[in-house]
Amino acid sequence: MEKSLKKMKSNNTNSTRSNLVKDSELFHVIHKVPCGDTPYVKAKHAQLIEKNPEMAIVWFWKAINTGDRVDSALKDMAVVMKQLDRSEEAIEAIKSFRPRCSKNSQDSLDNVLIDLYKKCGRMEEQVELLKRKLRQIYQGETFNGKPTKTARSHGKKFQVTVQQEIARLLGNLGWAYMQQAKYLSAEAVYRKAQMVEPDANKSCNLAMCLIKQGRFEEGRSVLDDVLESRVLGADDCKTRQRADELLSELEASLPLRRDAEMENVLGNILDDDFVLGLEQITTTSFTSKRLPIFEQISSFRNQLVC
């Protein structure tokens, strides 16, 4: 009888321990917090559980300085800094400590930098980084000749195709050119992005470029494609609302500015270093390494400036 009671007690103890382990594992899965007691784990706990971003940054710094998951610590710290309006500090941190990170982490750090440059209004640096990333894809350095690569967002992995990545980068580049009032360069880039992977949001941006150049009928035609759902993503309420607003802006501009007047002011602002230089890196078919992302750009450019 006594042995039976001891065995039952032992089984209950083991069962309790097993349940505690399972609860702990479930907690980490639900809250997306890694297990352990390292500086990086404490940083993620402060960030996601305690909702204390300042303390999270302290622990991220400790993780970086002690070599604890430096790749993730640097990227996550930069994201938290951006949320706290410390983007300039985040940029300097990435530039200073990215040599400590693995080669596989450099692409994700570049993507964080692109967002940080945009947040800070550092358009020149954003443009240069976007150009470099596009050239890396063309030269086969990013995808290594494969049609897809693995990306991660909010803790989830997913596959990104070459076309999706090119369209994303071109979209960002077009937006950066727009912030610099280089509307003809932005137009060329957006048209190229639409050739790779068309969507309604980029159509709206393209229409804005055309409106800014006073090319109202072309802008109206692009907006009509969105409003008549001839472009992917045109059913999105926010996108349609934006298209309506741009159309209203276009209508309001008609009596004030004619095509020729605007083209004289803005129409000839081109980024010679990149948009015109794309003709030197064209190709006509897919190979194992190089990708045809810039074909026919020179003939399109010639049509624009004629």
Side-chain angles (χ1 to χ4, degrees), residues 3-184:
K3 288 182 178 179
S4 179
L5 289 173
K6 286 182 178 180
K7 186 174 182 181
M8 289 177 61
K9 186 176 180 179
S10 176
N11 288 338
N12 288 336
T13 301
N14 291 335
S15 177
T16 301
R17 288 174 179 170
S18 177
N19 288 335
L20 288 173
V21 170
K22 289 180 180 178
D23 288 344
S24 176
E25 290 176 350
L26 185 61
F27 174 86
H28 288 94
V29 170
I30 292 174
H31 295 283
K32 299 179 181 178
V33 178
C35 300
D37 192 38
T38 66
Y40 179 74
V41 172
K42 290 180 178 178
K44 296 300 291 183
H45 194 278
Q47 177 192 1
L48 301 174
I49 307 302
E50 298 173 7
K51 307 296 182 183
N52 187 341
E54 295 287 356
M55 182 55 65
I57 290 174
V58 172
W59 282 111
F60 280 132
W61 273 125
K62 290 183 179 180
I64 293 168
N65 290 325
T66 58
D68 177 26
R69 299 179 67 167
V70 178
D71 294 4
S72 298
L74 182 57
K75 185 181 73 171
D76 292 348
M77 183 179 72
V79 171
V80 174
M81 284 179 169
K82 179 187 173 186
Q83 294 168 351
L84 295 176
D85 290 326
R86 295 167 59 180
S87 296
E88 294 284 357
E89 185 179 348
I91 290 171
E92 296 310 312
I94 291 178
K95 287 184 174 181
S96 298
F97 290 92
R98 71 183 305 169
R100 297 190 186 185
C101 298
S102 67
K103 182 179 179 180
N104 291 336
S105 70
Q106 299 301 319
D107 187 53
S108 61
L109 288 173
D110 280 343
N111 289 332
V112 175
L113 269 179
I114 288 169
D115 287 339
L116 291 170
Y117 286 145
K118 184 176 181 179
K119 175 86 172 177
C120 296
R122 294 166 65 165
M123 293 299 116
E124 287 291 343
E125 289 163 287
Q126 185 186 13
V127 165
E128 288 306 313
L129 180 53
L130 288 165
K131 289 179 187 178
R132 178 167 63 79
K133 289 181 71 64
L134 284 164
R135 289 191 181 101
Q136 286 174 342
I137 294 176
Y138 175 80
Q139 293 164 0
E141 297 175 12
T142 303
F143 284 79
N144 294 315
K146 298 178 181 178
T148 64
K149 70 172 183 177
T150 302
R152 182 188 293 270
S153 178
H154 303 292
K156 295 182 180 180
K157 290 183 178 180
F158 57 96
Q159 293 297 307
V160 176
T161 67
V162 175
Q163 286 78 8
Q164 288 171 336
E165 182 69 357
I166 292 169
R168 182 184 74 84
L169 293 172
L170 287 172
N172 281 319
L173 181 59
W175 182 258
Y177 280 144
M178 286 177 66
Q179 306 316 300
Q180 298 175 311
K182 295 180 178 179
Y183 297 115
L184 194 58

Side-chain angles (χ1 to χ4, degrees), residues 145-261:
K146 298 178 181 178
T148 64
K149 70 172 183 177
T150 302
R152 182 188 293 270
S153 178
H154 303 292
K156 295 182 180 180
K157 290 183 178 180
F158 57 96
Q159 293 297 307
V160 176
T161 67
V162 175
Q163 286 78 8
Q164 288 171 336
E165 182 69 357
I166 292 169
R168 182 184 74 84
L169 293 172
L170 287 172
N172 281 319
L173 181 59
W175 182 258
Y177 280 144
M178 286 177 66
Q179 306 316 300
Q180 298 175 311
K182 295 180 178 179
Y183 297 115
L184 194 58
S185 293
E187 178 196 349
V189 171
Y190 276 126
R191 288 195 186 277
K192 192 63 191 178
Q194 292 295 72
M195 290 169 61
V196 176
E197 190 176 67
D199 70 61
N201 183 56
K202 288 195 287 289
S203 289
C204 287
N205 289 339
L206 173 58
M208 184 185 295
C209 293
L210 295 168
I211 292 170
K212 292 293 186 180
Q213 296 176 65
R215 293 157 60 190
F216 299 119
E217 291 307 315
E218 293 176 71
R220 187 196 300 276
S221 176
V222 173
L223 292 174
D224 284 344
D225 287 341
V226 176
L227 295 172
E228 294 178 18
S229 299
R230 292 196 289 261
V231 188
L232 185 67
D235 295 332
D236 180 74
C237 293
K238 291 183 178 179
T239 302
R240 294 185 70 84
Q241 181 181 352
R242 186 173 177 227
D244 281 327
E245 291 171 352
L246 285 169
L247 192 59
S248 298
E249 180 183 333
L250 185 154
E251 296 291 347
S253 300
L254 279 175
L256 301 176
R257 305 172 108 172
R258 306 315 308 172
D259 292 16
E261 295 172 347

